[in-house]
């Protein structure tokens, strides 16, 4: 997978975090995985179709998810309910939507499926062996991991 | 009379956020839909003055719902409110009759500006 495909997601995450959460993430070291799986506790999963196909996973700890949802809702959440889950999922939707907008401006057109939130560790999201790039982001609210597994559609 | 507005978004968080912004400015939210199919049904029932329409949703997406609503009511006023800001998406929505196109994340003032301009 080309690094140029993950950079728009990292850039969009930084912008969305600044605008929605008032924090500026620090970008960590890029790494690669053979398949798309996650060892995080709380994962936003989005499907991508079009000229690129695959999945985006934005993973974080339950603790970080609580903090992010609290910030988005403007109140400390007591239970991680539907409202909190939808806030976290929508954050992933905003990041991915902005990244796909950026890719479209470079002539790569893709569509996005609605986000789903998956909780549980060592989740294998897809049986497809899509080479995946991972960028960790450090924020005041905790660490967030951006996983981008996209393949050019076979012509 | 207060403008009657319908909100369509699959994320409860977005529906709550939009509703808060609108009601704080004196507008009435008469219906909330969580996908495009629901939006088409609820539009028929409530005939709102304005619809806020997300695009990425399960069941039926916002572009399809926009087209169905406009086919039944050519005067329907629909404002897209979505994370997908691709030019192609904007052009398709405007050609299908959307009155405005707001890209998430947005500032609350952008929502009010759209209501004042469109409704
Ligand atoms: Mg949506």
């Amino acid at each position: 997978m080309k690094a140029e495909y993950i950079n728009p997601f990292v850039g969009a995450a930084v912008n969305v975090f600044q605008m929605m959460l008032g924090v500026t993430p620090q970008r960590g070291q890029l790494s690669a995985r053979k398949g798309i799986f996650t060892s995080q506790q709380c994962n936003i999963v989005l499907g991508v179709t079009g000229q690129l196909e695959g999945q985006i996973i934005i993973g974080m700890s339950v603790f970080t998810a609580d903090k992010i949802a609290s910030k988005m809702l403007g109140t400390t959440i007591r239970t991680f309910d539907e409202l909190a889950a939808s806030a976290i999922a929508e954050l992933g939707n905003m990041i991915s939507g902005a990244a796909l907008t950026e890719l479209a401006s470079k002539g790569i057109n893709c569509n996005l499926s609605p986000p789903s939130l998956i909780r549980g560790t060592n989740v294998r999201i897809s049986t497809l062996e899509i080479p995946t790039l991972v960028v960790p982001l450090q924020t005041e609210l905790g660490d967030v991991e951006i996983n981008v597994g996209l393949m050019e559609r076979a012509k | 009379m207060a403008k009657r507005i319908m909100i369509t978004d699959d994320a409860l968080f977005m529906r709550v956020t939009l509703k808060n912004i609108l009601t704080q400015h004196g507008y009435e939210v008469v219906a909330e839909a969580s996908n495009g199919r629901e939006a088409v049904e609820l539009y028929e029932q409530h005939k709102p003055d304005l619809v806020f329409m997300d695009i990425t949703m399960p069941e039926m997406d916002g572009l399809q719902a926009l087209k169905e609503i406009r086919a039944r009511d050519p005067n329907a006023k629909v404002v897209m409110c979505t994370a997908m800001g691709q030019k192609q998406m904007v052009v398709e929505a405007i050609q299908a009759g959307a009155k405005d196109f707001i890209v998430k994340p947005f500032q609350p003032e952008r929502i009010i500006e759209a209501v004042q301009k469109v409704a």
Side-chain angles (χ1 to χ4, degrees):
Chain A
M1 203 193 101
K2 295 180 193 163
E4 66 183 85
Y5 298 151
I6 193 171
N7 289 332
F9 289 88
V10 176
V14 170
N15 288 338
V16 170
F17 268 68
Q18 285 173 335
M19 193 156 168
M20 296 297 292
L21 306 168
V23 300
T24 302
Q26 298 301 311
R27 182 183 178 148
Q29 188 106 50
L30 177 77
S31 62
R33 281 181 191 151
K34 280 192 185 135
I36 187 146
F37 70 93
T38 172
S39 54
Q40 298 288 330
Q41 294 168 316
C42 181
N43 300 285
I44 316 160
V45 181
L46 303 107
V48 174
T49 55
Q51 281 174 259
L52 298 177
E53 295 192 338
Q55 266 145 345
I56 311 302
I57 304 178
I58 300 172
M60 64 196 81
S61 69
V62 168
F63 185 66
T64 300
D66 278 355
K67 281 192 158 182
I68 290 176
S70 295
K71 194 109 186 187
M72 289 177 79
L73 297 167
T75 174
T76 305
I77 56 164
R78 290 197 189 88
T79 48
F80 197 83
D81 56 7
E82 189 200 345
L83 185 59
S86 75
I88 296 291
E90 188 60 21
L91 194 76
N93 183 51
M94 287 179 191
I95 291 168
S96 303
L100 293 190
T101 303
E102 171 72 18
L103 284 170
S105 74
K106 293 174 179 155
I108 303 166
N109 288 297
C110 301
N111 213 332
L112 195 59
S113 74
S116 41
L117 201 66
I118 298 180
R119 300 186 105 189
T121 49
N122 293 315
V123 179
R124 180 165 286 273
I125 301 300
S126 165
T127 52
L128 295 173
E129 291 295 310
I130 305 175
T132 299
L133 291 177
V134 186
V135 169
L137 296 176
Q138 292 180 334
T139 86
E140 289 162 40
L141 303 169
D143 293 350
V144 174
E145 196 179 73
I146 313 244
N147 299 259
V148 176
L150 294 174
M151 295 187 301
E152 281 158 44
R153 192 174 54 190
K155 294 198 178 85
Chain B
M1 218 175 74
K3 296 289 179 205
R4 300 168 63 257
I5 298 173
M6 178 169 106
I7 295 167
T8 308
D9 201 299
D10 56 326
L12 174 61
F13 167 74
M14 281 313 309
R15 299 199 299 275
V16 170
T17 301
L18 283 169
K19 190 174 185 173
N20 285 342
I21 294 169
L22 291 165
T23 51
Q24 277 164 17
H25 285 80
Y27 299 109
E28 187 190 353
V29 175
V30 290
E32 292 178 42
S34 60
N35 63 59
R37 198 175 309 284
E38 250 181 56
V40 175
E41 284 166 19
L42 290 173
Y43 185 90
E44 289 283 296
Q45 274 178 43
H46 296 274
K47 293 275 188 280
D49 299 313
L50 180 65
V51 179
F52 280 98
M53 182 73 76
D54 182 24
I55 291 183
T56 307
M57 293 185 289
E59 302 276 334
M60 181 193 289
D61 73 34
L63 286 172
Q64 190 60 35
L66 162 71
K67 288 169 190 167
E68 296 210 6
I69 288 172
R70 295 269 308 169
R72 292 168 191 213
D73 177 5
N75 295 316
K77 292 179 176 130
V78 180
V79 169
M80 309 312 282
C81 184
T82 171
M84 301 288 278
Q86 288 98 314
K87 207 179 204 173
Q88 195 186 306
M89 208 64 93
V90 179
V91 169
E92 188 178 345
I94 301 297
Q95 280 175 351
K99 302 289 185 216
D100 200 349
F101 198 104
I102 299 173
V103 179
K104 298 172 186 167
F106 51 76
Q107 300 289 350
E109 304 81 69
R110 183 66 184 86
I111 298 297
I112 299 307
E113 181 199 307
V115 182
Q116 287 169 347
K117 188 175 81 178
V118 174

